[in-house]
């Protein structure tokens, strides 16, 4: 799909970009609880989009919808559409495993397999049917995340023996090895020290040359440092007392931070709530 969509939500609908993925009236429930209300937005190809907003506004809920990871939560129900390559990912005949191969995920807490560094890359690739020269794939993937020089002499060591920042880069290498189109990251640096965080941030910027990146961050400075576009979400109390999340404003990052259209956004980015 390569049609240009305009930013959906904003009053300023004068920008357009090459959209790789979009949601249409996406609402998410846990049982009867509405967690995220009616989100329609486009994600630009080979750009970095940050999702920001106070805790509980549905950032993780949204990002998990984008590769059907919410399927793994029994009570979770999704209304609306997520369109990728002209197909609704929630349509029938869509294989969620296939979806997750094209749209990878990196989590807040680095979660390498309890296997060797080598196997962390090779195992995931093999079970996804990739039959490359594994040595070459392992080396290339580790180089892409800047980890090769640090681990090339200990590829048999357990992935769990690495430092936090190295583990997270291993998880990113594992995602990259599947040759995804889009990489989702849910607060990928929030468990890391400042030096590892800055390594991850520059890695994310390198990765956008090849991949579309969608990153949840509670750190506004991080959004300004890495993201081309930023979507601000907030949570509001409904008449029934349900606190649901919704998209307030979505634009180029510099607009969101320097020239927001919504008062709520202005309050949030200037640190007056959340
Ligand atoms: N597995 C779950 N079961 C029930 N409620 C959930 C679950 N995950 C999240 N929620 C609720 O959905 C809302 C949005 O949560 P979440 O997406 O985690 O927000 P954020 O990532 O922005 O902090 C919150 O009210 C949260 O308590
Ligand atoms: Mg979250």
């Amino acid at each position: 799909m390569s049609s240009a969509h305009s930013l959906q939500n904003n009053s300023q609908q004068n920008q357009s970009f090459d959209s790789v993925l979009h949601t249409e009236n996406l609402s998410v429930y846990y049982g009867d609880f509405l967690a995220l209300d009616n989100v329609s937005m486009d994600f630009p190809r080979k750009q970095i989009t940050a999702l920001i907003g106070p805790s509980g506004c549905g950032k993780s809920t949204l990002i998990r919808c984008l590769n059907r990871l919410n399927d793994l939560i029994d009570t979770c129900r999704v209304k609306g559409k997520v369109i990728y390559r002209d197909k609704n990912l929630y349509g029938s005949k869509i294989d969620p495993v296939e979806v997750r191969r094209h749209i990878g995920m990196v989590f807040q807490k680095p979660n390498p397999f309890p296997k060797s560094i080598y196997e962390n890359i090779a195992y995931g690739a093999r079970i996804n049917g990739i039959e490359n020269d594994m040595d070459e794939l392992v080396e290339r993937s580790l180089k892409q995340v800047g980890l090769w020089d640090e681990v090339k002499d200990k590829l048999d060591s357990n992935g769990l023996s690495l430092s936090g920042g190295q583990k997270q880069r291993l998880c990113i290498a594992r995602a990259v090895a599947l040759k995804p189109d889009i990489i989702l990251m849910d607060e990928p640096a929030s468990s890391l020290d400042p030096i590892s965080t800055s390594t991850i941030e520059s890695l994310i910027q390198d990765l956008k040359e090849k991949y579309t990146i969608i990153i949840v961050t509670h750190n506004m400075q991080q959004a300004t440092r890495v993201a081309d576009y930023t979507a601000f979400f907030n949570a509001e109390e409904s008449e029934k007392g349900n606190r649901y999340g919704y998209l307030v404003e979505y634009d180029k990052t510099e607009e969101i931070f320097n020239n927001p259209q919504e008062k709520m956004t202005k309050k949030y980015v200037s640190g007056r709530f959340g």
Side-chain angles (χ1 to χ4, degrees), residues 51-193:
L51 312 180
I52 64 167
S55 180
C57 68
K59 304 180 296 297
S60 296
T61 297
L62 172 61
I63 207 171
R64 288 195 302 255
C65 282
L66 303 180
N67 74 346
R68 300 242 342 223
L69 214 59
N70 277 333
D71 286 22
L72 308 176
I73 301 172
D74 279 347
T75 58
C76 188
R77 278 188 302 128
V78 172
K79 281 207 312 203
K81 293 178 182 172
V82 177
I83 311 283
Y84 172 66
R85 295 187 175 170
D86 294 328
K87 289 207 180 80
N88 179 12
L89 297 185
Y90 286 89
S92 55
K93 297 190 195 148
I94 299 285
D95 174 6
V97 175
E98 179 73 11
V99 170
R100 291 176 204 136
R101 197 185 141 176
H102 295 289
I103 308 177
M105 175 77 95
V106 174
F107 298 90
Q108 176 171 356
K109 195 165 171 286
N111 61 345
F113 301 130
K115 291 176 182 288
S116 70
I117 293 169
Y118 185 98
E119 280 300 313
N120 261 277
I121 311 291
Y123 174 76
R126 245 185 263 117
I127 59 174
N128 277 284
I130 292 178
E131 288 166 0
N132 287 49
D133 172 346
M134 277 303 162
D135 290 354
E136 196 270 332
L137 181 70
V138 168
E139 180 171 341
R140 182 157 40 86
S141 304
L142 291 170
K143 279 183 172 161
Q144 265 190 280
V145 302
L147 198 54
W148 176 249
D149 287 336
E150 290 161 61
V151 302
K152 63 176 190 267
D153 299 323
K154 53 172 184 178
L155 293 174
D156 292 335
S157 303
N158 197 302
L160 298 175
S161 68
L162 296 171
S163 75
Q166 289 174 324
K167 276 188 214 160
Q168 194 61 303
R169 279 184 284 148
L170 182 61
C171 292
I172 297 172
R174 181 174 71 187
V176 158
L178 304 185
K179 300 196 175 69
D181 199 7
I182 303 173
I183 304 177
L184 310 173
M185 301 186 174
D186 193 348
E187 308 207 18
S190 65
S191 70
L192 305 179
D193 62 77

